[in-house]
């Protein structure tokens, strides 16, 4: 990432999403009307997590066991039994412990052995040992190739302490972007939410699409810019395969070429418009 861009992100957020003592919570429109619909944990805490079994929870139909956290509350998203992704500016330090909880409510811990910046604001973490198959913790499938997110796709947007809401893709040609509308359940990251995952629901299948990087302003952001994993798939695959794992099948050349062609043709038209929109809010 160019230095000027990196400085802009940090200035935009201040202590913001990467603040060491950030205590903000994901913004969810009309949250107070039904808190059980938007909390992964009925304990409302990751200190003593108790799974929310309310059928109204927006994530009730999906396996979220690969969505973990560290002692500071920063999210980690498992992409193989040995690897996870985070925002580079809010990643867990080597030697620290990360935690996951399976569908039975059993807590599983692991130690971070390595972190590497794979480009932009994306860090690939490696655990000291693979998560055991019988632990009930499952890595996420990625929204790449033919499953790459596009305009209008439905998202599940997460935040610290297991908060989860919905949104809709505005743009996905560089950053994955979405705005904050007056729609019940719609979610927007704010201070403290960096590294939290964004998922896309594809024909009933949950896929990991991105991690939160920054927003247009703090407080009260109205537009989010997430680092989407599809743009870094080749380097992620390369790193993961060196340990004997594979993330997903590489998309067919025709599909990949079409994607690149669309990106080249529309990036200036669509994404720069979104970029100006994000920066214009004071």
């Amino acid at each position: 990432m160019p230095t000027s861009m990196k400085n802009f992100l940090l200035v935009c957020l201040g202590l913001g999403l990467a603040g060491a003592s950030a205590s903000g919570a994901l913004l969810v429109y009309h949250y107070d009307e039904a808190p059980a619909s938007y909390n992964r944990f009925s304990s409302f805490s990751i200190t003593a997590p108790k799974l929310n079994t309310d059928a109204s929870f927006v994530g009730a139909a999906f396996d979220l066991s690969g969505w973990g956290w560290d002692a500071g509350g920063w999210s980690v998203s498992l992409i193989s039994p040995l690897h996870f992704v985070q925002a580079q500016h809010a990643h867990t330090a080597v030697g620290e412990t990360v935690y996951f909880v399976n569908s039975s409510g059993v807590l599983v811990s692991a130690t971070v052995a390595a972190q590497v910046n794979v480009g932009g604001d994306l860090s690939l973490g490696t655990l000291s040992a693979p998560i055991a198959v019988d632990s009930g913790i499952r890595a996420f499938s990625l929204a790449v190739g033919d499953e790459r997110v596009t305009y209008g796709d439905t998202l599940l947007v997460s935040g610290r302490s297991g908060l989860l809401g919905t949104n809709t893709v505005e743009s996905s040609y560089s950053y994955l972007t979405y705005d904050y509308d007056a729609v019940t359940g719609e979610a927007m990251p704010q201070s403290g939410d960096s590294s939290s995952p964004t998922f896309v629901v594809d024909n009933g299948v949950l896929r990991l699409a991105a991690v939160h990087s920054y927003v247009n302003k703090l407080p009260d952001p109205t537009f989010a810019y997430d680092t989407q994993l599809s743009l870094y798939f080749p380097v992620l695959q390369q790193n993961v395969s060196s340990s004997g794992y594979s993330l997903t099948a590489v998309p067919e050349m025709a599909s990949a070429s079409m994607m690149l062609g669309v990106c080249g043709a529309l990036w200036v038209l669509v994404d720069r418009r979104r970029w100006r929109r994000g920066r214009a809010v004071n």
Side-chain angles (χ1 to χ4, degrees), residues 148 151 171-175 228 231 262-263 266-267 270-271:
R148 186 176 184 266
Y151 174 82
S171 172
S172 62
Y173 296 102
S174 56
Y175 289 96
Q228 60 173 328
L231 300 183
V262 170
C263 181
L266 297 181
W267 185 86
V270 178
D271 206 53

Side-chain angles (χ1 to χ4, degrees), residues 59-224:
F62 306 110
D63 183 355
L64 298 173
S65 61
W67 172 19
W69 63 91
D70 65 17
W74 305 112
S75 291
V76 302
S77 299
L78 205 63
I79 61 172
S80 88
L82 192 63
H83 303 91
F84 62 91
V85 289
Q86 293 180 292
Q88 171 66 21
H89 76 268
H91 68 267
T92 306
V94 171
E96 290 192 10
T97 302
V98 293
Y99 305 90
F100 303 90
V101 62
N102 65 22
S103 60
S104 298
V106 177
L107 198 65
V108 176
S109 62
T111 302
V112 178
Q115 287 275 16
V116 59
N117 178 211
V118 294
D121 191 34
L122 187 64
S123 183
L124 176 66
T126 303
L127 303 174
S128 59
I131 298 290
V133 175
D134 62 359
S135 67
I137 305 300
R138 300 289 178 262
F140 294 114
S141 297
L142 304 187
V144 298
D146 292 336
E147 282 74 43
R148 186 176 184 266
V149 293
T150 59
Y151 174 82
D153 281 352
T154 299
L155 301 174
L156 287 181
V157 177
S158 73
R160 292 172 72 89
S161 301
L163 282 167
L164 192 68
T166 62
N167 213 304
T168 304
V169 176
E170 289 283 334
S171 172
S172 62
Y173 296 102
S174 56
Y175 289 96
L176 175 62
T177 68
Y178 45 94
D179 60 10
Y180 190 47
D181 298 313
V183 176
T184 297
E186 188 151 298
M188 174 60 52
Q190 65 165 340
S191 178
D193 286 328
S194 268
S195 285
S196 295
T198 294
F199 305 98
V200 62
V201 180
D202 177 25
N203 292 321
V205 177
L206 189 74
R207 299 182 188 277
L208 179 63
V211 296
H212 303 337
S213 283
Y214 70 105
V215 290
N216 62 334
K217 62 173 183 172
L218 288 172
D220 303 322
T222 58
F223 211 81

